[in-house]
Amino acid sequence: MNNLLKETTYIMKKYKIKANKSLGQNFLIDEFVINNIIESAQIGKEDLVIEIGPGLGTLTKYLLEKAKKVICIELDKKMITILEDRFSLYNNLQIINNDVLKVDLNSMILEEKRKTQIKNVKIVANLPYYITTPIIMKLLESKLDIQSITVMIQKEVADRLIAKPGDKQTGAITYTVYYYCEGEKVLEVPHTSFIPEPEVTSEVIKLNIRKEPIIKNIDEITLFKIIKAAFMQRRKTLLNSLTNAHIFKDKEEGTIVLNNCGLLENTRAENLTLQDFAKITNEILK
Ligand code: SAM
């Protein structure tokens, strides 16, 4: 039995923990994977790391050694007791018992930067898979003052997040992620790296937040509204889906807008670049 598996089963037994499926509890037991996460996150002694869903603290232990400070946000109260016991000797850990979707991360980061000598903020997590997308969207749309997000998520979702607009595996979220960051694949992770084993293959990805916006002077709300509408009916032509969503008044107007952007009426959402969607946005708002 590997050491991490031994440690994990020992802690679960000691605290009478049964993994809670509805909270997405799949605990990491693979040191190779953990080392890859830690290395790719490039954590230094001037960094604040925010860990979402620390669970039993497997990843936390490594983060605490590398970072200036670690703030863990965990929903399950049972995990809080374990984390407090396990890391009572560390003075660089703060634990927040809350739903990450309810935490005001912006104020938290501002406050930390104000009161300590923190240079960069990095998010690291083995995310609960039942809310992967809402968490990623929150992290990006809140425009947090962070440098990167290194997360383990379902492979299927990961591939969509880090696809390039125009690739095959895209969805509306591909464009949002691409707008805010440059994504890279770190490592594919099999079921056997967790207990209990999840039903899907996992993947670690790193999202490096862009320092400069990739598209300047754009009405983001309209841009993302158009992208979402285009992918809602991705089998349809862009002209049909944007007309059905009332982005275009009618097909006539839609044809003019698309032609003015240098696009054909029978083009589909997945063939467009982010710049194409930006052109449509500006043309509509003209
Ligand atoms: N980091 C641990 C590891 O790698 O072994 C546990 C990862 S487990 C996949 C996901 C963790 O997220 C669980 O500990 C779960 O309780 C926690 N969690 C689930 N929903 C959450 C939420 N809304 N906010 C914060 N934590 C949550």
Side-chain angles (χ1 to χ4, degrees):
M1 211 195 266
N2 84 42
N3 284 343
L4 266 183
L5 175 57
K6 266 191 214 154
E7 192 176 66
T8 306
T9 43
Y10 169 78
I11 295 172
M12 289 177 77
K13 218 171 167 186
K14 180 174 170 197
Y15 290 91
K16 299 189 176 65
I17 297 292
K18 267 199 174 161
N20 185 337
K21 257 194 169 181
S22 62
L23 286 181
Q25 290 180 350
N26 300 96
F27 303 116
L28 255 173
I29 49 156
D30 188 331
E31 199 153 3
F32 175 77
V33 174
I34 293 181
N35 286 334
N36 266 277
I37 295 175
I38 299 292
E39 238 171 68
S40 60
Q42 294 178 303
I43 302 157
K45 274 292 167 205
E46 290 172 318
D47 293 341
L48 163 68
V49 172
I50 301 174
E51 188 191 5
I52 301 165
L56 307 168
T58 311
L59 201 53
T60 320
K61 192 172 95 182
Y62 293 75
L63 296 172
L64 283 167
E65 297 297 337
K66 293 271 182 188
K68 182 173 176 72
K69 179 169 180 179
V70 178
I71 300 182
C72 286
I73 306 170
E74 170 62 59
L75 182 59
D76 187 352
K77 217 174 170 73
K78 282 190 204 152
M79 300 296 153
I80 305 296
T81 316
I82 299 172
L83 295 166
E84 281 169 354
D85 281 1
R86 209 176 156 183
F87 303 118
S88 61
L89 295 178
Y90 284 82
N91 59 8
N92 60 338
L93 173 65
Q94 184 185 337
I95 304 168
I96 298 174
N97 183 200
N98 202 348
D99 176 348
V100 66
L101 297 178
K102 294 187 182 146
V103 176
D104 180 352
L105 295 169
N106 256 322
S107 309
M108 192 175 92
I109 291 170
L110 262 172
E111 178 67 7
E112 286 299 324
K113 282 210 160 174
R114 194 186 55 78
K115 70 177 190 209
T116 51
Q117 306 273 295
I118 277 156
K119 257 199 171 162
N120 303 307
V121 182
K122 293 166 181 169
I123 299 199
V124 181
N126 170 18
L127 286 180
Y129 293 175
Y130 74 104
I131 42 167
T132 303
T133 306
I135 294 177
I136 301 274
M137 291 306 285
K138 170 177 171 149
L139 298 178
L140 296 179
E141 288 179 343
S142 313
K143 297 184 191 284
L144 304 173
D145 183 9
I146 57 174
Q147 202 177 50
S148 62
I149 303 170
T150 307
V151 278
M152 167 110 68
I153 55 178
Q154 312 88 303
K155 177 179 161 36
E156 202 195 345
V157 180
D159 288 342
R160 199 167 325 125
L161 294 190
I162 59 169
K164 298 273 174 302
D167 282 359
K168 273 269 164 286
Q169 290 150 311
T170 54
I173 198 167
T174 309
Y175 291 78
T176 312
V177 171
Y178 189 76
Y179 181 80
Y180 291 111
C181 22
E182 279 179 287
E184 60 179 281
K185 175 175 174 172
V186 175
L187 176 77
E188 211 169 291
V189 182
H191 313 92
T192 47
S193 296
F194 308 84
I195 54 163
E197 292 185 11
E199 276 153 24
V200 292
T201 302
S202 303
E203 189 168 306
V204 179
I205 57 167
K206 184 175 184 191
L207 305 176
N208 296 298
I209 308 295
R210 294 186 192 280
K211 290 188 187 85
E212 292 292 324
I214 189 160
I215 290 175
K216 297 197 173 77
N217 303 323
I218 189 86
D219 180 331
E220 287 177 7
I221 294 179
T222 311
L223 173 70
F224 292 127
K225 194 172 138 193
I226 292 173
I227 294 173
K228 247 182 224 159
F231 277 92
M232 277 285 223
Q233 301 181 307
R234 62 181 301 156
R235 300 272 159 259
K236 295 209 156 108
T237 63
L238 194 63
L239 180 63
N240 281 337
S241 48
L242 295 188
T243 307
N244 292 347
H246 307 293
I247 303 276
F248 298 145
K249 247 189 274 146
D250 49 39
K251 284 194 180 177
E252 221 170 27
E253 186 200 71
T255 307
I256 296 170
V257 170
L258 292 182
N259 290 344
N260 285 351
C261 297
L263 297 165
L264 297 172
E265 299 97 275
N266 63 356
T267 194
R268 282 169 214 278
E270 62 205 25
N271 300 123
L272 266 62
T273 62
L274 184 60
Q275 282 72 10
D276 290 329
F277 277 114
K279 273 191 215 160
I280 297 176
T281 306
N282 289 333
E283 190 65 27
I284 282 175
L285 295 177
K286 237 195 218 162

